[in-house]
Amino acid sequence: MPLDYPDSFRELVRQFRRLPGIGPRSAERIALWVLRSRDAKPEQLVSAISWAHEKLTMCRLCGFFAEQEECPLCLDEGRSGRELCVVESPTDILPLERTGVFRGRYHSLGGKLSPLDGIGPEQLRIAELIERIGEERPSEVILALGVDVEGEATSHYLAEMLAPTGVHVTRIAQGLPAGGGVEHADQITLHRALANRGVYGQR
Amino acid sequence: MPLDYPDSFRELVRQFRRLPGIGPRSAERIALWVLRSRDAKPEQLVSAISWAHEKLTMCRLCGFFAEQEECPLCLDEGRSGRELCVVESPTDILPLERTGVFRGRYHSLGGKLSPLDGIGPEQLRIAELIERIGEERPSEVILALGVDVEGEATSHYLAEMLAPTGVHVTRIAQGLPAGGGVEHADQITLHRALANRGVYGQR
């Protein structure tokens, strides 16, 4: 039998490999670090996972992280209910929030349509979105989803689903990112940047 | 106060960020996955860490992973004690072993000299190496360390430390990697590939 790692090491590597974005070499490196490094303190990782599982939940309304039934965003009476910004993931909310230009409310879908991964409309918080629109009656729903194939399909699906509610549906702009040169931009981005051009000084 | 994640989520992200090679965005993505994915099963990660910490140790002799005092490599009487191959890390052993050309013994240093990280000779298993050489009397010690600055410094230091033992010290070859074109190789690699050239058909 060829030499291999002991079972307990292989299991540790296998568990780290399951994390998103971790390949076989990274998993080995992390496992080794957890075992060997003087400051690895893996018990802290273990207790952070347990703590998060015990305390953390998703806000019943918007799907952001919360340690009680509703999150600070939804509990904040100072925020406008007129604009509702729809995002894929709860981790999309803080980057948008940090721009400082949006003071409305958010709604995280908890993912995007991805039939190959078994994620259809029922797996996303779309029914909840429609219910919120009926109750909160925002004047605008802003779709802030990704520009990949699944993000686009999700935006398209939502626009169709929301049409009967009569709410004004917009989406965030697509174009050249800050710091991005025309030379290095892909064709689709350039196509959209051109198609969405505006009068200089106004956009 | 600006919006931020709940403490328990921030702590989870912080713990994943401590893993080697994990940046802030990856840590957020992993934390989200651990919390949300239907097949995350974080309790398996927790128990793999606990299991490894309980069961796994490093072989007293060579520093490879072991679930008892000595590893299968060191317990294997069929292996030659004539060649001793020195590596930086226990994860370097399997890749060398899989080449199938080496049937001697290994010695993992558990790292490389790196004064900036506070890793000097005392932090590595160098005293153990010298003791093994005295006891096992190999005829050759093969240095199989990395070719970065610290790896080179460690090789140099070891060669000096081992000189008094009289053992024949060699190192693995440096040159063009398999599949690597001359065009894309860096100057140092090309310099060494030229300097270490051999008669065609013999090397």
Side-chain angles (χ1 to χ4, degrees):
Chain A
M1 207 179 69
L3 181 74
D4 202 345
Y5 295 125
D7 287 343
S8 48
F9 187 73
R10 282 195 302 169
E11 170 65 9
L12 189 59
V13 172
R14 205 175 68 81
Q15 289 300 329
F16 281 118
R17 269 201 74 170
R18 295 175 56 238
L19 304 180
I22 305 292
R25 298 290 302 163
S26 306
E28 268 193 8
R29 200 151 48 101
I30 293 173
L32 185 62
W33 178 85
V34 163
L35 289 172
R36 302 293 307 275
S37 171
R38 275 164 300 174
D39 43 35
K41 306 200 182 72
E43 67 283 359
Q44 290 187 3
L45 177 60
V46 165
S47 67
I49 295 175
S50 310
W51 188 32
H53 261 261
E54 209 171 285
K55 286 277 280 185
L56 264 188
T57 175
M58 296 299 163
C59 172
R60 166 182 82 80
L61 285 172
C62 76
F64 188 61
F65 302 103
E67 291 187 345
Q68 41 188 315
E69 206 171 303
E70 288 173 20
C71 73
L73 277 168
C74 289
L75 289 171
D76 183 352
E77 307 260 338
R79 298 189 75 97
S80 160
R82 300 202 53 212
E83 290 106 23
L84 184 59
C85 179
V86 180
V87 297
E88 288 171 13
S89 145
T91 47
D92 293 332
I93 292 178
L94 275 192
L96 288 166
E97 187 64 13
R98 285 179 187 137
T99 64
V101 298
F102 184 72
R103 289 291 297 162
R105 299 192 175 272
Y106 293 95
H107 189 90
S108 160
L109 298 172
K112 52 192 171 185
L113 293 176
S114 181
L116 290 179
D117 301 316
I119 300 181
E122 306 74 33
Q123 276 71 50
L124 302 178
R125 301 180 63 252
I126 293 177
E128 289 89 336
L129 173 63
I130 292 169
E131 197 183 316
R132 273 187 82 181
I133 291 171
E135 276 171 20
E136 301 178 15
R137 302 229 152 265
S139 55
E140 179 181 358
V141 169
I142 304 166
L143 303 181
L145 310 181
V147 191
D148 54 346
V149 176
E150 294 95 348
E152 295 278 23
T154 311
S155 290
H156 185 76
Y157 179 84
L158 285 179
E160 281 199 349
M161 290 296 288
L162 299 186
T165 69
V167 71
H168 184 50
V169 179
T170 60
R171 74 190 296 185
I172 56 171
Q174 297 180 22
L176 218 55
V182 170
E183 187 185 12
H184 303 295
D186 63 281
Q187 291 251 327
I188 299 174
T189 299
L190 283 182
H191 184 275
R192 288 175 182 155
L194 273 172
N196 296 324
R197 68 190 180 279
V199 177
Y200 189 81
Q202 287 181 21
R203 298 184 67 160
Chain B
M1 207 180 71
L3 181 74
D4 204 346
Y5 295 124
D7 287 344
S8 48
F9 187 73
R10 283 196 300 168
E11 170 65 10
L12 189 59
V13 172
R14 207 176 67 81
Q15 289 299 329
F16 281 119
R17 269 201 75 169
R18 296 175 57 239
L19 303 181
I22 305 293
R25 297 292 300 163
S26 306
E28 268 193 9
R29 200 151 48 100
I30 293 173
L32 185 63
W33 179 85
V34 162
L35 288 172
R36 301 293 307 275
S37 173
R38 276 165 299 176
D39 43 35
K41 305 198 182 74
E43 67 283 358
Q44 290 187 3
L45 177 60
V46 165
S47 67
I49 295 175
S50 310
W51 188 33
H53 261 260
E54 208 171 285
K55 285 276 282 185
L56 263 187
T57 177
M58 296 298 164
C59 172
R60 168 181 81 80
L61 286 172
C62 75
F64 187 61
F65 302 103
E67 291 187 342
Q68 43 187 312
E69 206 171 305
E70 289 174 19
C71 73
L73 277 168
C74 288
L75 290 170
D76 182 351
E77 307 261 337
R79 297 189 76 98
S80 161
R82 301 202 52 214
E83 290 105 23
L84 185 60
C85 179
V86 179
V87 296
E88 288 172 13
S89 145
T91 47
D92 293 332
I93 292 178
L94 275 193
L96 288 167
E97 187 65 13
R98 286 180 186 136
T99 64
V101 298
F102 184 72
R103 290 290 297 161
R105 299 190 175 274
Y106 293 95
H107 189 89
S108 159
L109 298 172
K112 52 191 171 184
L113 294 176
S114 180
L116 289 180
D117 301 315
I119 301 180
E122 307 73 34
Q123 275 71 48
L124 302 178
R125 301 179 65 251
I126 293 178
E128 288 89 334
L129 173 63
I130 292 169
E131 197 183 316
R132 272 186 83 180
I133 292 170
E135 276 170 20
E136 299 178 15
R137 304 229 151 262
S139 55
E140 180 181 356
V141 169
I142 304 167
L143 303 181
L145 310 182
V147 191
D148 54 346
V149 176
E150 293 95 348
E152 295 276 23
T154 311
S155 289
H156 185 77
Y157 179 85
L158 285 179
E160 279 199 349
M161 291 296 288
L162 299 186
T165 68
V167 70
H168 184 50
V169 179
T170 61
R171 74 189 297 184
I172 56 171
Q174 296 180 23
L176 219 54
V182 170
E183 188 185 10
H184 304 293
D186 63 281
Q187 291 251 328
I188 299 174
T189 299
L190 284 182
H191 184 275
R192 286 174 183 157
L194 273 172
N196 296 325
R197 69 190 181 278
V199 177
Y200 189 82
Q202 288 182 20
R203 296 182 71 158

